[in-house]
Amino acid sequence: MMNPEPNRRLCQLYHEGVVPYHIAWEWQQSVVARKKAHPETKDVLLLLEHPPVYTLGQGATTEFLNFDPADTRYEVCRVERGGEVTYHAPGQLVGYPILDLKHYQPDLHWYLRQLEEVVIRAIAPFGLQGERIAGLTGVWVDGHKIAAIGIKVSRWITMHGFAINVCPDLEGFRQIVPCGIRDRPVGSLAQFIPGISVSQVRHELVTAFAEVMNVSLIPANHSFLIEPASLA
């Protein structure tokens, strides 16, 4: 993972721990803007967790909230990704790939299926069989949705991404209809593998992402909170 492989695009890898949603969101926007202005800027994979927060896609309806969005007990963000409402909390591994799809395949459906494949391969070493459901984006295990995916693509540059429920408190999902799907439960990997940790899944996910996207991941030696000159 440390040494770039021939014929693979370089992608900068950041591990960030628990980061407030608005900070990670602003950082994604800044990298997208930089890549639009300077196409040579490296692609990025940002892996982190968020404090409890609900996010709504740009066209999402509030009818899938089981609370008043004006209630200040809940942090709610409407963002530019596709999809309905979802929930983030510690114990959930969130991945934000910022890629220029012109160097991969400029096809949104292809990209969504690739992200699903990354998750499926990442959980396979734990003996878990991830499944797709026709017409529904995401990954399921034994009928439980364990990974949500929502993206935004502008000039073929991606942002937002995927969220894998490793071992979060699932209680927060009771306040919403996750992804607008009423008849399929949300689950976590910990339901099937007690004691599983985010760091374990992150290790497998990094390997899976590199394989599926055919990239060489270059671990950053600093936090993304520091303006990363190394991206250029």
Side-chain angles (χ1 to χ4, degrees):
M1 205 67 64
M2 295 295 292
N3 297 317
E5 297 183 41
N7 304 317
R8 286 196 171 200
R9 187 166 171 82
L10 298 181
C11 184
Q12 195 86 54
L13 173 65
Y14 290 85
H15 295 168
E16 292 299 332
V18 181
V19 178
Y21 187 86
H22 71 278
I23 292 177
W25 184 19
E26 290 171 1
W27 188 80
Q28 290 182 77
Q29 292 172 320
S30 73
V31 176
V32 169
R34 182 181 302 159
K35 287 180 70 62
K36 288 180 177 179
H38 304 284
E40 72 279 6
T41 299
K42 291 186 181 73
D43 289 342
V44 168
L45 175 60
L46 173 62
L47 298 177
L48 44 69
E49 301 169 65
H50 288 308
V53 60
Y54 295 95
T55 69
L56 294 157
Q58 59 183 353
T61 173
T62 56
E63 72 178 75
F64 296 125
L65 298 178
N66 296 329
F67 60 89
D68 183 346
D71 189 334
T72 56
R73 291 178 298 170
Y74 305 97
E75 182 179 1
V76 180
C77 296
R78 186 177 288 276
V79 297
E80 64 274 68
R81 66 165 173 78
E84 292 289 342
V85 62
T86 195
Y87 177 66
H88 298 299
Q92 182 189 73
L93 177 59
V94 179
Y96 295 132
I98 305 176
L99 312 175
D100 187 342
L101 291 184
K102 293 190 296 293
H103 297 283
Y104 299 86
Q105 187 166 322
D107 183 315
L108 300 188
H109 294 289
W110 173 88
Y111 180 56
L112 290 169
R113 302 295 81 77
Q114 294 296 97
L115 294 184
E116 290 171 344
E117 184 66 20
V118 168
V119 176
I120 289 169
R121 293 195 192 188
I123 66 175
F126 303 100
L128 298 174
Q129 183 175 349
E131 299 175 337
R132 295 179 173 93
I133 294 178
L136 299 175
T137 298
V139 177
W140 279 257
V141 172
D142 195 23
H144 293 73
K145 189 171 187 179
I146 57 89
I149 297 173
I151 63 171
K152 167 69 176 179
V153 178
S154 175
R155 285 165 50 181
W156 294 114
I157 297 172
T158 68
M159 63 183 294
H160 299 289
F162 56 85
I164 306 172
N165 294 333
V166 180
C167 52
D169 181 351
L170 296 177
E171 187 64 28
F173 285 100
R174 296 181 183 274
Q175 302 301 322
I176 61 173
V177 179
C179 304
I181 304 172
R182 297 185 183 276
D183 60 347
R184 298 183 185 274
V186 170
S188 71
L189 302 184
Q191 291 177 249
F192 305 97
I193 311 291
I196 193 170
S197 68
V198 169
S199 62
Q200 288 175 296
V201 177
R202 184 175 61 225
H203 174 77
E204 299 297 341
L205 187 131
V206 167
T207 300
F209 187 88
E211 291 176 349
V212 172
M213 299 307 299
N214 194 35
V215 297
S216 288
L217 288 168
I218 310 301
N221 58 9
H222 53 75
S223 171
F224 78 88
L225 297 175
I226 303 170
E227 188 68 10
S230 64
L231 284 173

